[in-house]
Amino acid sequence: MELYLIRHGQSHNNAHPEEQRVEDAPLTTLGQEQAALLANFAKSLRLTRLITSPFMRALQTTDPVRQTTGLQPEIWVDLHEQGGCYAGHIPGQYIGRPGMTHTELAAQFPEFQNVDDIDGDGWWQSKAYETNADARQRAARVLDRTRDTFALTSERVAFVMHADFMRYFVACVLDVSSRAPHNASVTKLVISQDDSRVEYFNRTEHLPEQMKSC
C-alpha cells in the first residue's frame, strides 16, 4: 500500500500563543487557503481512501480533498492529536473535553463516514489528558490496523492527522525520529507486511513559500 500522511492546515492554536489555545481549534484563513491548495495537489496522488482525525482542523482540511477527489472520508478517532481533546494550557491542569458528538459531526460533515461510531458524549468523552506513552501505544495500534486493513492491497490511502502524532507514527513504522512537518504537508510511506519505507517527508511544493507554516 501507499500511505500519505497529511498534516492539517494552520489552525487557531498554531497561530496564537499557548494561553489562547481552544479545545477544538478551527482552521485560520491561511489554513483554509493551504487546505485548498493541498486539495488540488491531492488529485495527483490518485487516492483510493481518505481517512481523518475527528478534530475540527483535520475535518476542515479533509473536506476540500473530498471535493477534489470525490472520495467519501472516513473518521478514525485514533488519528487524533497527542493529548486528546482538552481545555487549558498549563501542564498538569488540563481539563478533558468531549470533542464533537455524533449529532454535531453529522450536521457539519454529512458526507463523512463512521460518524455512527461516536456517541452523544463526544469522540473524546472528556477523558483525562493522554500521556506520551499512551500516544506511542496508540500509534502502534494504528499501524497494526493499517497493516491488517491495507498492507496486502494496492490501496493509496491518506491519513489527515497532526504533527505530534505523525511523529509517533513514523517512529513506530521506522524506529526513527522526525521533525515536525509543516501545515498541509504530505509525507509518503510504502507499507507492506514485511517492509516499510519513507519515499518523501514533509512535501510542500504545492504551497507558495509565504504560505508555509508550522
Side-chain angles (χ1 to χ4, degrees):
M1 70 167 296
E2 296 181 5
L3 179 61
Y4 297 86
L5 307 181
I6 297 173
R7 187 185 175 196
H8 61 78
Q10 185 193 63
S11 73
H12 173 282
N13 288 354
N14 297 144
H16 295 87
E18 285 194 11
E19 60 268 21
Q20 296 180 24
R21 291 184 67 92
V22 296
E23 62 196 61
D24 194 2
L27 295 181
T28 62
T29 299
L30 173 60
Q32 294 170 7
E33 294 170 351
Q34 291 169 337
L37 292 172
L38 167 70
N40 188 59
F41 175 72
K43 291 186 290 187
S44 68
L45 303 180
R46 296 181 290 113
L47 299 174
T48 60
R49 299 281 286 272
L50 179 58
I51 303 174
T52 179
S53 152
F55 268 116
M56 177 64 79
R57 54 196 182 271
L59 298 166
Q60 289 180 329
T61 301
T62 301
D63 201 46
V65 179
R66 172 191 68 81
Q67 296 176 45
T68 59
T69 63
L71 296 172
Q72 185 175 28
E74 307 164 47
I75 297 172
W76 282 16
V77 170
D78 268 351
L79 291 180
H80 69 78
E81 180 59 300
Q82 191 275 323
C85 188
Y86 63 90
H89 66 279
I90 301 174
Q93 298 183 27
Y94 301 136
I95 300 171
R97 302 295 295 145
M100 279 192 285
T101 66
H102 169 276
T103 302
E104 291 167 339
L105 284 163
Q108 295 188 58
F109 301 97
E111 299 87 358
F112 287 40
Q113 299 183 58
N114 301 348
V115 175
D116 290 339
D117 295 344
I118 299 165
D119 61 22
D121 293 325
W123 63 262
W124 186 244
Q125 301 179 334
S126 301
K127 293 180 290 190
Y129 182 83
E130 179 194 46
T131 66
N132 292 345
D134 286 341
R136 284 191 288 270
Q137 291 179 0
R138 176 164 55 89
R141 185 166 69 242
V142 171
L143 178 58
D144 287 343
R145 180 178 181 182
T146 302
R147 283 182 168 144
D148 289 346
T149 307
F150 302 117
L152 298 179
T153 75
S154 58
E155 298 267 25
R156 303 168 67 92
V157 183
F159 286 170
V160 182
M161 55 199 306
H162 308 266
D164 288 342
F165 187 65
M166 189 185 300
R167 295 173 70 187
Y168 284 125
F169 184 80
V170 170
C172 193
V173 174
L174 299 172
D175 195 26
V176 296
S177 60
S178 59
R179 66 187 186 278
H182 286 80
N183 293 119
S185 65
V186 181
T187 293
K188 181 181 178 182
L189 283 67
V190 177
I191 296 179
S192 68
Q193 289 286 7
D194 304 316
D195 184 39
S196 299
R197 68 181 188 274
V198 175
E199 291 211 348
Y200 53 78
F201 180 84
N202 195 33
R203 191 170 178 178
T204 57
E205 75 261 25
H206 49 287
L207 301 176
E209 196 63 34
Q210 69 274 15
M211 290 181 62
K212 294 179 183 179
S213 64
C214 295

